[in-house]
Amino acid sequence: MGHFDILIIGGGAAGIAAARAAADAGCKSIALVERKQKLGGILLQCSHPGFGAGLTGGEYAAALVQDFPETVTLFFGTTVLLVEPNKTAHLSGDRQISFSQLILATGSREIPLGALPIAGTRPKGVYTAGQMQEMMNLHGFVPQGPVVILGSGDIGLIMASQIAAMGISVTLVEQKENCGGLTRNRRCLKDNSIRLICSQTIDAVEGSPALTGCCLSGGEKIACRTFLIAAGLVPERGLLAELGMPSWLQMCGNCNTVYPMAEGVTADGRKAGIAAFQKIRGKL
Ligand SMILES: Cc1cc2nc3c(=O)[nH]c(=O)nc-3n(C[C@H](O)[C@H](O)[C@H](O)COP(=O)(O)OP(=O)(O)OC[C@H]3O[C@@H](n4cnc5c(N)ncnc54)[C@H](O)[C@@H]3O)c2cc1C
């Protein structure tokens, strides 16, 4: 079993920034564990510009990892399964790491169909918006139209815009009175002739085994073959279930607070990396 001064779980913008900041401050014993085979997290599936100075998510991630400190030991394709109060992390592949300080940078998870009061079975063709973004942008998947999207925040708008630009009919349903999201993302509605229905939600999905339509709370039925849920993000803190908030733990990025912009995530990551190293030096 290896020991590291700082263990960082999650290699998205927050985890990368935390590792860099701790290494720059002088820490020579850092492990960063990432479930996927690459650093970047959610950034890697964002092909739209809007990160930093007009970069795509992928370009922003590439800038973050440029000249990444060699003193950080990277564990790719590795999931942290459990963290014990005795400061031991259990990794996939039956490995363990002990640590002095832990930085949780596990991001957020999307609210799925099963967590919403939507009647009906669970037919084929229902996804969260982020799942579809990953399938389309990283695996070349093309959704079947017509498409209904629930939630007009930035993720809903970005997906609506991308799918409509492929010539697929998209209806966006928003339970609030007005469309959410940044002005720059709202522009896509007009540009791509996307139908927006406000002050309504989806009450039920129909079809078996595949989706045939969505029922609106106002009574209208919309025929569709794909339904995307963009109903919000929840910080991913499952690993803390048995731990609470011990003094040797820092949280950063979307697992701390769901940030609208990547810059906020990176700044939070940096803060966590420096705080963890200061604790090791007994300065905090
Ligand atoms: C669709 C979408 C569009 C966005 N658009 C913009 C935009 O235009 N401009 C902008 O500035 N920001 C945008 N953002 C926000 C920004 O991209 C994110 O807030 C930020 O990238 C999140 O970084 P993170 O490190 O907190 O989380 P994530 O990127 O989610 O990283 C968490 C990482 O932890 C790993 N992980 C989780 N659990 C474990 C475990 N147990 N073991 C090992 N690894 C684990 C995951 O694999 C993942 O790589 C967007 C976000 C989304 C979802």
Side-chain angles (χ1 to χ4, degrees):
M1 179 171 80
H3 178 89
F4 290 86
D5 285 349
I6 301 178
L7 168 63
I8 302 169
I9 308 176
I16 297 169
R20 292 197 81 113
D24 289 349
C27 187
K28 300 221 170 346
S29 170
I30 305 169
L32 196 166
V33 181
E34 168 53 48
R35 183 198 300 275
K36 298 196 172 161
Q37 296 293 350
K38 213 174 163 186
L39 294 176
I42 208 93
L43 294 170
L44 300 176
Q45 67 188 61
C46 293
S47 56
H48 61 280
F51 296 79
L55 303 176
T56 64
E59 289 164 350
Y60 188 83
L64 282 183
V65 298
Q66 207 174 8
D67 302 323
F68 196 71
E70 284 176 8
T71 46
V72 178
T73 305
L74 295 165
F75 293 83
F76 284 126
T78 304
T79 303
V80 176
L81 303 170
L82 174 76
V83 179
E84 292 197 80
N86 67 0
K87 302 197 197 176
T88 304
H90 295 256
L91 315 185
S92 54
D94 210 12
R95 287 164 292 170
Q96 292 179 17
I97 283 181
S98 69
F99 57 85
S100 303
Q101 292 289 316
L102 176 67
I103 299 180
L104 197 71
T106 42
S108 54
R109 84 177 98 103
E110 298 179 281
I111 297 175
L113 181 67
L116 294 168
I118 297 177
T121 56
R122 300 295 176 247
K124 184 178 142 214
V126 180
Y127 309 88
T128 61
Q131 271 172 349
M132 180 56 77
Q133 188 183 47
E134 183 174 3
M135 283 158 53
M136 286 173 65
N137 294 346
L138 299 183
H139 308 296
F141 184 82
V142 177
Q144 289 193 306
V147 174
V148 170
I149 302 178
L150 177 64
S152 71
D154 288 319
I155 301 177
L157 287 171
I158 285 162
M159 291 314 292
S161 155
Q162 190 176 342
I163 294 168
M166 297 166 86
I168 297 170
S169 153
V170 178
T171 303
L172 201 54
V173 179
E174 169 57 56
Q175 66 172 358
K176 295 190 186 147
E177 276 177 27
N178 296 304
C179 180
L182 298 169
T183 312
R184 69 168 190 234
N185 291 331
R186 282 204 297 265
R187 263 186 228 125
C188 75
L189 295 174
K190 243 194 193 157
D191 295 351
N192 294 297
S193 313
I194 294 164
R195 183 182 175 205
L196 172 69
I197 300 172
C198 286
S199 305
Q200 288 200 55
T201 186
I202 303 292
D203 274 353
V205 289
E206 291 186 335
S208 178
L211 180 76
T212 54
C214 287
C215 306
L216 290 174
S217 49
E220 185 185 349
K221 268 187 196 178
I222 304 178
C224 61
R225 291 163 82 189
T226 301
F227 173 41
L228 301 186
I229 299 163
L233 303 171
V234 181
E236 176 54 70
R237 296 182 193 158
L239 286 170
L240 299 187
E242 308 288 318
L243 286 182
M245 275 297 290
S247 60
W248 39 264
L249 168 73
Q250 314 283 327
M251 288 193 294
C252 59
N254 278 1
C255 87
N256 191 17
T257 299
V258 175
Y259 286 88
M261 307 301 279
E263 279 105 327
V265 169
T266 338
D268 201 27
R270 262 187 238 119
K271 223 167 75 185
I274 291 166
F277 188 51
Q278 282 177 339
K279 281 195 175 180
I280 284 163
R281 286 184 154 177
K283 285 191 179 165
L284 201 72

